[in-house]
């Protein structure tokens, strides 16, 4: 038989099972070849397209749980000036007695609530200049006194005057437990979002902790055209009244101050109540006071939280303007806006005439700056009545707490603010790390670079160093610095651009991309596989019939 005829017979479908290449074997060879290519190509495709994922320390992140409370010790250094009031072995007795009194005032934490335990440690010798170390100076009270008294200074000292007939151990136990338990209760109240029963203020007035705040002082003139033109010596006022407060906060946070003057602010977006000789603004109107669109209060710092303090000068025809509450004029004539800033209304002298030019000197603004400092304290989170209420209890019948009139914040208040920020930033760092761990576990295709792992490892190290700083040297400032760095590192890892981009590229998008390519190729393969199986069954049936015959 000629060669073309043989090739034609070779590829022709016949019922003879001894044919070398049939249509069935041809389909099977092609199908197996394609499957072999897929089997060899899929591992190569998986290796070249998979994302890089560094192993995060999820076990170490999960180790931070509410079951382990954060313990913040207070170190009280006792100075017995007379050397007669306290026995030599009384420190351990006072420490255990104060611990019992603190436990009596401590309310059990609810499930899931992150506990913080304040403890007291008594030491001899002078106290170092470190937040967390305080000096209790004991003196003998005059013989005419029958009860103890406490004089709390601006720095980290308190003078305890104890009569001879009163037990010094009992007085110190009561004093130390009152200081420690009060701050622990205050911290828990702030964490729970409850208002202060004494000041009737809500905790949401204060901003979250930030290493830096942008503070802007603005002079707003409502109507300079038909009224007066106003200028102010804001630099002198800041140096005289605000700068000491800023310097006192410098170890804890930074306040960057700017100022501006806005002319022609326009009338406020509400109608105040006008009487024969004055204008009154009720508390319900204050919510709309700072919403005027003509006020350009843009900040020069787009990153740091902004605090605005406005000195508002009303038009001459509406002056004097007073803020009233319960039909009484506020002595400061100022109000606070939660997490935003404050406004003070400045009324000009009654003899002021239209068209005149007035310059507010530093002394003229003393009252307004005092109101701004009070508002700034509340916006940052400084608590009043620190470290004690001026309310006698038990054997202590007189408590006097000195106010820091020169700087606007005492060392006791700054330390309490430091501990408040320590607890909040530590909790922020832990919650951010745990959210990051859950996010990475839920999205297996998310890129986790080595830089992310380094930040997470450093954040965990900073969190571990917090308790070390508190337990070894009782250094609250160093512990707060560790908590701040842990929070910054955790948020930097969570919002890293390499991770955020994949939050908007889920697996559904991948299916939508790959299906148009692989589905058209898969359909002929499935059809060919179906025909191969069908031909194989038919051949088996034919062979069975031939054997039967």
């Amino acid at each position: 038989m000629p060669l073309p005829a043989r090739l034609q017979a070779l590829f022709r479908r016949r019922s003879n099972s001894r044919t070398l290449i049939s249509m069935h074997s041809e389909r099977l060879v092609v199908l197996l070849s394609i499957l072999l290519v897929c089997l060899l190509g899929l591992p190569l495709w998986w290796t070249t397209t998979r994302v890089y994922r560094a192993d995060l320390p999820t076990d170490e992140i999960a180790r931070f749980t509410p079951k382990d409370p954060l313990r913040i010790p207070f170190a009280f250094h006792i100075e017995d000036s007379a050397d007669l009031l306290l026995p030599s072995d009384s420190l351990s007795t006072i420490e255990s007695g104060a611990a019992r009194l603190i436990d009596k005032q401590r309310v059990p934490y609810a499930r899931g609530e992150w506990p913080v335990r304040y403890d007291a440690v008594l030491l001899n010798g002078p106290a170092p200049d470190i937040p967390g170390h305080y000096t209790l100076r004991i003196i003998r009270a005059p013989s005419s006194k029958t009860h103890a008294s406490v004089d709390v200074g601006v720095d980290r000292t308190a003078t305890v005057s104890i009569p001879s007939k009163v037990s010094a151990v009992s007085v110190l136990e009561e004093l130390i437990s009152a200081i420690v338990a009060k701050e622990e209760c205050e911290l828990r109240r702030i964490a729970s979002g409850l208002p202060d029963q004494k000041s009737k203020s809500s905790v949401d007035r204060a901003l979250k902790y930030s290493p830096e705040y942008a503070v802007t002082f603005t002079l707003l003139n409502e109507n300079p055209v038909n009224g007066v033109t106003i200028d102010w010596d804001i630099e002198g006022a800041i140096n005289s009244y605000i700068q000491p407060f800023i310097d006192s906060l410098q170890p804890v946070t930074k306040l960057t101050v700017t100022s501006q003057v806005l002319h022609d602010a326009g009338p406020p977006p509400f109608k105040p109540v006008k009487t024969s000789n004055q204008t009154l603004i009720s508390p319900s109107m204050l919510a709309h006071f700072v919403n005027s669109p003509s006020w350009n209060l843009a900040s020069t710092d787009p990153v740091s939280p902004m605090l605005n303090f406005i000195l508002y000068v009303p038009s001459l025809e509406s002056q004097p303007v007073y803020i009233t509450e319960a039909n009484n004029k506020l002595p400061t004539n100022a109000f606070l806006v939660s997490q935003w800033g404050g406004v003070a209304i400045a009324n000009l002298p009654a003899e002021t005439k239209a068209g005149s030019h007035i310059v507010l000197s530093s002394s003229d603004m003393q009252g307004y700056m005092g109101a701004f400092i009070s508002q700034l304290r509340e916006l940052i989170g400084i608590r009043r009545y620190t470290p004690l209420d001026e309310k006698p209890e038990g054997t202590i019948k007189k408590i006097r707490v000195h106010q820091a009139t020169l700087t606007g914040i005492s060392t006791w208040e700054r330390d309490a603010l430091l501990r408040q920020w320590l607890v909040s930033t530590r909790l922020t760092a832990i919650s951010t790390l745990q959210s990051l761990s859950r996010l990475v576990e839920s999205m297996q295709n998310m890129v986790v670079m080595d830089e992310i792992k380094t930040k997470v490892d450093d954040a965990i190290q900073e969190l571990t160093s917090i308790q070390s700083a508190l337990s070894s040297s009782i250094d609250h400032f160093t512990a707060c610095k560790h908590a701040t760095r842990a929070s910054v590192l955790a948020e930097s890892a969570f919002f890293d651009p390499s991770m955020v981009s994949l939050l908007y590229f889920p697996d559904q998008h991948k299916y939508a991309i790959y299906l148009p390519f692989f589905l058209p190729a898969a359909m002929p393969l499935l059809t060919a596989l179906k025909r191969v199986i069908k031909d194989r069954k038919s051949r088996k049936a034919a062979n069975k019939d031939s054997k039967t015959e």
Side-chain angles (χ1 to χ4, degrees):
M1 179 182 296
L3 182 60
R6 291 184 179 180
L7 292 175
Q8 185 177 4
L10 185 65
F11 290 96
R12 184 180 303 164
R13 184 181 179 117
R14 297 180 180 178
S15 58
N16 188 1
S17 59
R18 293 184 178 180
T19 303
L20 181 61
I21 300 178
S22 62
M23 293 297 295
H24 169 75
S25 59
E26 182 182 354
R27 292 194 194 100
L28 186 59
V29 170
V30 173
L31 182 61
L32 292 177
S33 300
I34 296 176
L35 291 177
L36 182 61
V37 171
C38 292
L39 291 176
L40 295 177
L42 280 176
L44 179 62
W45 170 80
W46 175 260
T47 304
T48 56
T49 59
R50 67 178 180 179
V51 296
Y52 180 78
R53 289 172 61 90
D55 294 330
L56 296 182
T58 55
D59 293 338
E60 296 185 28
I61 295 175
R63 182 169 52 87
F64 297 98
T65 62
K67 295 181 181 180
D68 299 325
L70 175 65
R71 296 184 177 274
I72 302 179
F74 283 63
F76 293 96
H77 296 254
I78 308 300
E79 290 186 3
D80 188 356
S81 60
D83 293 330
L84 298 173
L85 297 178
L86 288 176
S88 58
D89 58 345
S90 59
L91 293 185
S92 59
T93 304
I94 298 173
E95 186 174 319
S96 59
R100 286 193 302 268
L101 293 176
I102 295 172
D103 289 335
K104 289 181 180 179
Q105 303 178 62
R106 183 175 286 138
V107 180
Y109 282 85
R111 184 177 182 181
E113 191 176 1
W114 289 83
V116 178
R117 293 180 62 92
Y118 281 19
D119 301 319
V121 178
L122 270 68
L123 301 173
N124 278 318
D129 188 16
I130 299 175
H133 292 259
Y134 305 95
T135 301
L136 300 182
R137 187 174 294 111
I138 305 173
I139 62 174
R140 176 76 72 182
S143 58
S144 59
K145 301 293 183 180
T146 58
H147 298 282
S149 62
V150 178
D151 191 84
V152 181
V154 175
D155 52 2
R156 301 183 182 94
T157 61
T159 302
V160 187
S161 179
I162 304 176
S164 58
K165 296 181 181 180
V166 179
S167 173
V169 174
S170 301
V171 173
L172 290 178
E173 288 177 356
E174 181 181 333
L175 175 61
I176 293 172
S177 63
I179 294 175
V180 176
K182 178 182 181 299
E183 182 163 337
E184 182 176 329
C185 292
E186 285 291 313
L187 184 65
R188 187 174 181 184
R189 177 189 62 81
I190 293 173
S192 302
L194 299 177
D196 189 356
Q197 298 299 326
K198 294 184 178 65
S199 61
K200 304 299 182 182
S201 62
S202 176
V203 295
D204 61 355
R205 288 186 175 184
L207 291 170
K208 291 180 60 178
Y209 169 74
S210 175
E212 184 174 354
Y213 296 93
V215 181
T216 302
F217 292 93
T218 304
L219 174 63
L220 275 178
N221 191 359
E222 179 181 341
N223 188 4
V225 178
N226 299 323
V228 297
T229 57
I230 303 175
D231 202 354
W232 60 347
D233 183 18
I234 186 61
E235 184 176 356
I238 290 175
N239 292 333
S240 300
Y241 309 116
I242 307 296
Q243 193 62 43
F245 180 79
I246 296 176
D247 294 338
S248 298
L249 281 177
Q250 188 68 32
V252 182
T253 187
K254 181 181 179 182
L255 299 180
T256 304
V257 180
T258 57
S259 64
Q260 60 181 347
V261 178
L262 297 182
H263 301 285
D264 195 16
F270 58 86
K271 292 183 179 181
V273 179
K274 293 186 177 182
T275 61
S276 57
N277 58 354
Q278 61 184 2
T279 303
L280 303 179
I281 300 176
S282 63
S284 60
M285 303 175 185
L286 298 179
H288 310 283
F289 197 94
V290 297
N291 291 336
S292 176
S294 60
W295 294 4
N296 182 17
L297 302 176
S299 173
T300 57
D301 187 352
V303 179
S304 303
M306 183 178 180
L307 293 173
N308 299 279
F309 295 97
I310 298 176
L311 184 61
Y312 184 81
V313 181
S315 59
L316 285 180
E317 56 269 17
S318 61
Q319 289 192 27
V321 178
Y322 298 104
I323 302 174
T324 61
E325 185 176 7
N327 297 326
N328 296 322
K329 298 178 182 178
L330 294 181
T332 59
N333 209 27
F335 65 95
L336 182 142
V337 182
S338 298
Q339 299 185 2
W340 186 84
V343 178
I345 298 178
N347 293 311
L348 301 178
E351 62 273 10
T352 304
K353 297 182 180 180
S356 58
H357 178 72
I358 294 179
V359 178
L360 298 176
S361 64
S362 175
S363 59
D364 294 334
M365 292 185 287
Q366 181 178 4
Y368 306 125
M369 291 298 157
F372 288 151
I373 288 179
S374 178
Q375 294 168 349
L376 184 57
R377 283 168 51 93
E378 193 166 353
L379 290 168
I380 291 179
I382 300 174
R383 301 193 303 271
R384 297 176 61 189
Y385 311 104
T386 301
L388 289 170
D389 299 327
E390 293 185 343
K391 179 181 178 182
E393 292 183 359
T395 59
I396 302 175
K397 297 301 181 182
K398 182 180 179 181
I399 298 176
R400 181 186 178 189
V401 180
H402 292 267
Q403 302 297 323
T405 56
L406 295 179
T407 60
I409 179 174
S410 67
T411 311
W412 292 90
E413 292 173 331
R414 189 180 64 190
D415 290 355
L417 179 64
L418 188 74
R419 288 184 288 269
Q420 176 182 326
W421 284 342
L422 160 64
V423 175
S424 63
T425 52
R426 174 182 177 270
L427 183 57
T428 300
I430 293 174
S431 60
T432 303
L433 289 177
Q434 292 178 349
S435 299
L436 175 62
S437 178
R438 291 192 297 267
L439 179 66
V440 172
E441 290 294 329
S442 62
M443 303 185 67
Q444 296 297 322
N445 291 327
M446 175 176 287
V447 177
V448 182
M449 304 301 294
D450 291 332
E451 292 80 2
I452 306 298
K453 184 179 183 302
T454 302
K455 293 178 181 179
V456 172
D457 291 337
D458 293 342
I460 293 176
Q461 181 62 37
E462 296 292 345
L463 289 174
T464 307
S465 302
I466 293 175
Q467 196 63 62
S468 301
L470 292 174
S471 58
S472 60
S473 57
I474 313 181
D475 190 348
H476 297 176
F477 177 71
T478 303
C480 185
K481 289 177 62 177
H482 286 308
T484 302
R485 286 196 290 263
S487 177
V488 171
L489 288 169
E491 292 186 352
S492 176
F494 188 87
F495 295 105
D496 191 271
S498 64
M499 300 183 64
V500 175
S501 60
L502 277 179
L503 294 177
Y504 306 96
F505 193 68
D507 292 336
Q508 291 82 351
H509 290 191
K510 297 180 182 179
Y511 299 150
I513 291 174
Y514 287 122
L515 280 179
F517 290 98
F518 293 105
L519 189 60
M523 294 303 297
L525 290 177
L526 295 176
T527 303
L529 180 62
K530 181 179 178 182
R531 295 188 61 179
V532 167
I533 295 174
K534 184 178 179 181
D535 291 344
R536 187 174 182 84
K537 290 182 178 180
S538 61
R539 291 179 61 195
K540 287 183 178 181
N543 292 336
K544 186 177 181 180
D545 293 340
S546 62
K547 290 180 179 180
T548 305
E549 294 178 355

